[in-house]
Amino acid sequence: MTTVEQLQESAPIGHDLSACDREPIHLSGAIQPHGLLLIVDAATLRTVAGAGDLEARLAPDWLDRPIAELIGQDIAALLRSADMGPGGTLRLAPVAGTEGPLEASLHRSGDMLIVELEPQPEPVRPAIEVLVGLERAAATFERAADLVQLCERAAVAFRQLTGFDRVMLYRFLDDGAGVVLAEDRAPGLDSFLNHHFPASDIPRQARALYVRNRVRVIPDAHYTPAPIRPESANQGGIDLSDVALRSVSPIHLQYLRNMGVEASASISIVRDGVLWGLVACHHDSPRRMDPELRAAARALASGLARQIRAQEEAESYRERLRLHAGEDLVTARLGGEQPIRVQLAQCGKELAELLDADGFALVCGDTVSREGHCPDDADLLRLAEWVDGQGGGLVVSRELSTLFPPAEGYAGVGSGLLGMPIDGTECMALWFRMEEVERVNWAGNPHKAVEVEPGAVLTPRASFESWSQIVRGRARRWTLEEVKAAHRLRGVLHDLRQRVRLRELNGQLSAANREQELLLRQKDVLMHEVNHRVQNSLQLVSAFLGMQARAVGDADLTSHLTEAQARLSAVALVHRRLYRDDQVEAVELSRYLDELMTDMRASLGADWGSALRVYLAPVLVPTGRAVDIGLITTELVINATKYAYPGTTGPITVMLEQHRANLRLIVEDQGRGKSGAGEGFGSRMMKALVGRLGGELAFEDNAPGLRVILTAPIEESGR
């Protein structure tokens, strides 16, 4: 085999074979002649067309006969029990042919049923033997260490199963071309291992059929197609997508003959509904695959697809672990007090290693910082400006010069780029991968994939000699996991910027809080001084009233001054409690009244002090209402001492209780009861206070004595 080297830039390989892509290969109108085909009207179950040597191998009068008579099976009953939909295949019992038993299968195509008939192999391979072989192959697949070893073992297993001279594991690449990952072949055959095949070798519609019909066999590349007859029955084109006997494109037959292949089989490797690759089988002489062997190949390919998925997911998992470890390392370095651009510049080495890059650059405005192999500063500034104009998302390329032509000048260090704008900043993070000059071995010159002359018939390429191409301007591919890691890093940097901004705002807020606290402390000092002076003033006034009461010689005036002193004490006590407890909005009424009664015991003397009893339930009331209630309580107690027991002392009881949203203050004695109209200053004051509380005052007979009940809302009205 000769080798030709061509130095060139990366370019799409092969011609756009639109004629091949448009060829309706599923409507070929013919079958391969080693089998027979019967086309049946689904409504009448009578044959309307057929293909192959039906007269000699099945029945001379096959046309327009009931299908049940031709194959000796009740198709209607089978269809009712199987409920076969479009694309389904139903295995039938063997059919007696004139030259021996025929394997039979049934498909549905629109309003037609299609029956395939193939000669039954001799001897029939025991099912247990096939099953044991499949289990042995599956076990070897599970023990494969990586994808390459899995494909190597699969090539051996499929060759043992099918008996073909050469079996290749062929994987499709992103551009539609394919590469042979593994091969098992008979001695003396040339190798296609690691060779690439252009996308034009397998047109798009052929790939679609590979997904639908997983095994396609060509027992003899020199066959003459057997057309569907009568020709009028195929005017609209009968869809043969699910038919194993379907005749293939004559271009493909010539392709096989150009390769020196006499028989071939293609077994699809479908991963998650997508054609991942093929098991391509070649033989240097005609060779068939019976339906049982095709079913076994499909099962083995399904098992292989599952193991391929497991290997790829395991590799992806290992890569994710590596990337997450790198992200943790970078994140640990970030989050300091310095600006983000400074922190990123300090982590250049770790950021380059994170995405397995050869270099990392950070461009912030006109400032550039670099780590590893990167273009010059001027080139970086132009590149950052271009990346910024691409919509604000990640820019990922392994062939940067195809997107940004100026990058051709520094392809050696920057063929691969992953560019990422950092949100909220003028910075651009750029990862670079160096050019990797790649030698691609092709099975034939891909630039001569077809031979097209004006008016000539389209023909496949004739040469499959090894042809080498040196590809430049291309770097290692950025994996999906690496791109995801870049997105995660972008999110981390966004959060970091938010945290830095939050830290700045917290600093400003802390400064404002410190200033506010200073003002509050100054206010507290001022309020403390004011409270102290008010308290002193109240005490001074109370002392003056006491001194005046003792100095005056008039008994009535002394009594009035004593009452005024008691009222002032009620107000002063509330102020003292507020000043002491730092509570300005509410007062615990029971504690306030208890202290008020203690002060009154002292001012009334020992006799009245022992006669005054207090029973108070805890009730929290607004401060202003506490003052009013304290004044009312003081007035009621003073009245009891003045009028209940003339000239002597007796028991006086003060009670406080809560009932739902109201409070009840009760002052009772056991004296002579209510006397007089009560129109003095004290009575007028109590009436005004009760009205301000929104309550009511009731006088009841205590038998003996008087029971006065104040009922008022605990809260102010409207709160």
Side-chain angles (χ1 to χ4, degrees):
M1 303 180 70
T2 62
T3 298
V4 179
E5 292 190 1
Q6 179 178 3
L7 300 177
Q8 62 171 40
E9 298 294 334
S10 173
I13 300 301
H15 298 281
D16 179 15
L17 298 185
S18 57
C20 283
D21 284 335
R22 292 193 302 269
E23 185 182 5
I25 57 177
H26 62 299
L27 306 176
S28 63
I31 65 170
Q32 300 179 57
H34 65 277
L36 307 174
L37 196 72
L38 294 171
I39 301 173
V40 181
D41 188 314
T44 63
L45 296 182
R46 303 180 74 89
T47 56
V48 296
D53 193 4
L54 292 163
E55 291 81 3
R57 299 169 61 186
L58 184 64
D61 54 348
W62 57 272
L63 188 60
D64 199 31
R65 282 185 59 183
I67 187 62
E69 292 181 6
L70 282 174
I71 66 175
Q73 299 173 57
D74 189 352
I75 295 297
L78 290 173
L79 290 174
R80 285 193 299 270
S81 62
D83 189 24
M84 183 181 65
T89 299
L90 181 64
R91 290 297 305 276
L92 303 177
V95 174
T98 59
E99 299 178 0
L102 300 170
E103 297 282 350
S105 59
L106 177 68
H107 315 281
R108 183 182 292 276
S109 177
D111 56 358
M112 297 292 180
L113 299 176
I114 300 177
V115 178
E116 286 188 83
L117 302 170
E118 300 179 62
Q120 191 177 72
E122 292 183 4
V124 177
R125 194 173 182 180
I128 187 64
E129 180 182 334
V130 175
L131 181 60
V132 169
L134 292 178
E135 290 181 343
R136 186 182 301 111
T140 64
F141 292 173
E142 293 175 358
R143 293 193 297 270
D146 53 30
L147 182 62
V148 173
Q149 189 178 80
L150 174 62
C151 292
E152 291 171 349
R153 293 184 176 187
V156 173
F158 275 99
R159 185 163 177 243
Q160 291 174 348
L161 176 69
T162 62
F164 278 77
D165 291 333
R166 177 192 287 115
V167 172
M168 298 176 290
L169 259 292
Y170 179 93
R171 179 180 184 175
F172 289 105
L173 304 176
D174 292 342
D175 59 0
V179 60
V180 178
L181 297 182
E183 178 185 58
D184 189 43
R185 67 187 190 279
L189 293 181
D190 292 332
S191 175
F192 287 110
L193 183 61
N194 297 323
H195 280 56
H196 289 63
F197 290 77
S200 57
D201 280 11
I202 304 179
R204 283 190 294 269
Q205 82 279 23
R207 295 179 211 180
L209 281 179
Y210 279 130
V211 175
R212 180 169 178 174
N213 195 342
R214 303 292 175 89
V215 180
R216 188 211 62 189
V217 182
I218 302 175
D220 187 351
H222 294 273
Y223 76 82
T224 300
I228 294 176
R229 5 183 216 111
E231 187 176 349
S232 58
N234 193 42
Q235 290 298 320
I238 297 175
D239 189 349
L240 302 180
S241 296
D242 302 313
V243 175
L245 292 172
R246 174 182 58 83
S247 183
V248 301
S249 168
I251 298 176
H252 183 67
L253 291 177
Q254 185 60 52
Y255 179 94
L256 292 176
R257 292 192 290 267
N258 290 348
M259 289 186 73
V261 174
E262 296 296 320
S264 76
S266 298
I267 305 160
S268 304
I269 305 172
V270 179
R271 183 191 185 282
D272 297 330
V274 178
L275 187 64
W276 183 91
L278 295 172
V279 180
C281 307
H282 292 168
H283 210 66
D284 63 357
S285 62
R287 184 174 184 82
R288 288 178 47 208
M289 280 182 69
D290 58 78
E292 284 77 9
L293 189 55
R294 295 200 298 268
R298 278 194 299 271
L300 187 58
S302 295
L304 174 60
R306 288 191 293 272
Q307 289 301 318
I308 288 174
R309 177 177 182 177
Q311 288 286 351
E312 291 179 340
E313 288 179 348
E315 177 59 30
S316 178
Y317 177 70
R318 289 190 291 269
E319 186 177 14
R320 285 198 300 271
L321 288 180
R322 178 187 67 80
L323 289 168
H324 281 298
E327 291 170 38
D328 292 342
L329 180 61
V330 170
T331 304
R333 292 283 308 275
L334 300 174
E337 300 293 333
Q338 295 175 310
I340 293 177
R341 58 181 179 81
V342 176
Q343 297 185 54
L344 288 175
Q346 294 173 346
C347 295
K349 182 179 180 181
E350 290 80 2
L351 287 167
E353 292 174 349
L354 171 64
L355 299 185
D356 193 22
D358 298 309
F360 171 79
L362 183 69
V363 180
C364 297
D366 296 332
T367 304
V368 176
S369 59
R370 297 185 295 170
E371 178 70 35
H373 300 280
C374 299
D376 295 335
D377 288 1
D379 293 324
L380 288 173
L381 290 171
R382 285 193 294 270
L383 179 60
E385 182 180 1
W386 174 78
V387 173
D388 189 49
Q390 301 307 302
L394 264 65
V395 175
V396 183
S397 175
R398 65 180 299 212
E399 299 177 82
L400 179 58
S401 60
T402 63
L403 301 177
F404 184 60
E408 185 176 357
Y410 47 84
V413 294
S415 288
L417 170 72
L418 194 155
M420 183 182 75
I422 300 175
D423 297 336
T425 70
E426 59 175 0
C427 295
M428 183 74 63
L430 304 170
W431 285 266
F432 294 98
R433 283 182 174 171
M434 301 173 65
E435 176 187 47
E436 288 191 348
V437 179
E438 184 180 5
R439 180 187 296 272
V440 179
N441 294 321
W442 294 90
N445 187 341
H447 302 287
K448 297 181 179 179
V450 292
E451 298 172 2
V452 181
E453 297 178 0
V457 177
L458 188 66
T459 60
R461 58 194 174 96
S463 173
F464 292 89
E465 289 186 333
S466 182
W467 187 91
S468 293
Q469 175 192 23
I470 294 181
V471 179
R472 306 193 67 95
R474 183 183 293 176
R476 301 189 314 279
R477 189 181 302 277
W478 303 96
T479 67
L480 178 61
E481 294 301 330
E482 288 169 337
V483 175
K484 288 181 179 178
H487 278 289
R488 289 195 297 271
L489 179 61
R490 191 179 191 185
V492 168
L493 294 176
H494 175 77
D495 293 342
L496 174 61
R497 179 178 173 275
Q498 295 297 99
R499 289 198 298 272
V500 170
R501 180 59 180 157
L502 183 60
R503 193 159 52 239
E504 294 173 353
L505 293 176
N506 284 338
Q508 297 171 6
L509 182 60
S510 297
N513 285 339
R514 286 192 296 271
E515 183 178 356
Q516 186 70 20
E517 288 173 1
L518 178 60
L519 293 174
L520 287 174
R521 283 196 297 270
Q522 294 173 350
K523 172 181 149 309
D524 288 343
V525 171
L526 180 60
M527 289 300 297
H528 185 276
E529 183 64 22
V530 170
N531 285 329
H532 180 68
R533 292 182 180 275
V534 170
Q535 187 67 29
N536 288 342
S537 298
L538 290 172
Q539 290 176 354
L540 185 61
V541 172
S542 179
F544 285 160
L545 288 173
M547 292 171 59
Q548 188 69 32
R550 288 190 297 274
V552 70
D554 190 323
D556 289 340
L557 184 56
T558 298
S559 175
H560 289 316
L561 291 173
T562 302
E563 291 176 13
Q565 185 183 23
R567 293 172 185 134
L568 183 62
S569 296
V571 176
L573 179 59
V574 170
H575 184 275
R576 189 164 64 247
R577 290 199 57 81
L578 297 177
Y579 171 64
R580 185 176 63 204
D581 296 343
D582 292 329
Q583 174 60 268
V584 298
E585 294 181 355
V587 170
E588 174 55 65
L589 188 58
S590 61
R591 294 175 58 190
Y592 165 57
L593 292 179
D594 186 60
E595 291 188 30
L596 182 61
M597 292 302 100
T598 300
D599 290 349
M600 290 197 72
R601 286 189 183 98
S603 64
L604 291 173
D607 291 341
W608 280 112
S610 60
L612 186 59
R613 292 173 293 184
V614 179
Y615 303 98
L616 306 172
V619 180
L620 193 67
V621 298
T623 302
R625 298 176 76 78
V627 173
D628 292 345
I629 295 169
L631 289 171
I632 293 171
T633 307
T634 301
E635 197 66 30
L636 290 174
V637 171
I638 290 173
N639 286 343
T641 61
K642 289 171 60 176
Y643 305 117
Y645 308 99
T648 185
T649 60
I652 299 174
T653 304
V654 179
M655 293 180 287
L656 177 67
E657 58 188 32
Q658 179 178 350
H659 181 67
R660 295 182 180 173
N662 294 328
L663 61 85
R664 280 165 43 100
L665 175 69
I666 304 168
V667 178
E668 62 181 25
D669 61 65
Q670 299 177 17
R672 65 179 184 176
K674 183 174 175 62
S675 62
E679 291 299 326
F681 172 78
S683 297
R684 291 195 301 273
M685 183 187 70
M686 278 198 301
K687 184 176 181 180
L689 293 173
V690 170
R692 192 160 67 178
L693 289 171
E696 59 182 23
L697 204 61
F699 297 86
E700 298 179 356
D701 187 1
N702 199 35
L706 180 65
R707 179 183 176 92
V708 184
I709 304 172
L710 169 66
T711 304
I714 295 174
E715 297 286 345
E716 298 177 13
S717 59
R719 290 187 62 179

